[in-house]
Amino acid sequence: MFTVNRLTPYFQKTVEGGCLEWMVYNNMHFPIVYDHLPYQAYHALLNGVTLWDVGLETADTDQGAGRMRFLDHLCCRDMSKMQVGDCRYTILTDEQGLIMSDPVTLFVDSDTIWLSHWQRRFDALGARSRREFTVAGEVCEPDVAPVQVQGRVGAADG
């Protein structure tokens, strides 16, 4: 059985940015080797701003009533104070406290939460089957592609 691998929406920009090698992650091409030395990338990260193609970390969405209580069950931090537009890094644990994944959570609107990490869908479905949760709606993958902006605060100011 062969899996069809996809390109992220940023693939061409990684080529233009000097990417020489990709690995497959989540059935998508993930840039890993560029035409500059690793210390140059590290220097850019510490002294400027860098963009990272993480389009392969697809978002999963949980829509409907009961989603905030369910999210609080999945996450090891208090998510109940999140408001529309809030974004948080969190860790999802299983019933024994073992880390399952570490998504970025975005409260899109009053009925929709996005967790940007590809494993989340399976974690959520497993948690639903273990517990009594009334969550109207569906866990699905919206057509979005994350990108990371990283660097030192104030670095662009000189």
Side-chain angles (χ1 to χ4, degrees):
M1 177 181 202
F2 295 95
T3 304
V4 176
N5 296 320
R6 303 178 289 161
L7 303 178
T8 72
Y10 315 111
F11 180 82
Q12 186 56 41
K13 289 295 181 184
T14 65
V15 172
E16 293 169 17
C19 188
L20 302 172
E21 199 171 315
W22 294 260
M23 66 178 270
V24 175
Y25 176 88
N26 195 23
N27 296 330
M28 298 182 93
H29 293 278
F30 180 46
I32 58 170
V33 176
Y34 283 83
D35 61 359
H36 51 265
L37 297 172
Y39 80 86
Q40 292 170 307
Y42 182 68
H43 178 77
L45 181 63
L46 290 181
N47 299 295
V49 177
T50 61
L51 289 175
W52 298 66
D53 176 2
V54 292
L56 49 96
E57 291 183 359
T58 57
D60 290 307
T61 185
D62 196 351
Q63 295 180 307
R67 83 239 168 282
M68 193 53 82
R69 181 173 164 262
F70 179 60
L71 181 64
D72 251 347
H73 169 72
L74 289 177
C75 300
C76 67
R77 67 184 289 189
D78 182 8
M79 305 301 269
S80 66
K81 294 182 176 85
M82 284 188 77
Q83 297 186 14
V84 172
D86 286 353
C87 188
R88 294 187 183 163
Y89 171 77
T90 191
I91 293 178
L92 302 181
T93 60
D94 67 10
E95 306 256 333
Q96 288 77 39
L98 298 173
I99 295 173
M100 295 188 297
S101 61
D102 62 335
V104 173
T105 304
L106 174 63
F107 198 163
V108 177
D109 61 42
S110 62
D111 289 325
T112 307
I113 297 170
W114 287 357
L115 284 96
S116 186
H117 194 280
W118 72 277
Q119 285 182 318
R120 193 274 176 173
R121 172 181 32 236
F122 305 109
D123 300 339
L125 293 173
R128 280 189 183 173
S129 67
R130 289 193 305 268
R131 289 266 177 150
E132 292 296 321
F133 283 98
T134 304
V135 181
E138 183 180 340
V139 175
C140 60
E141 185 179 315
D143 188 18
V144 297
V147 65
Q148 287 182 9
V149 180
Q150 296 185 17
R152 197 183 68 155
V153 175
D157 298 333

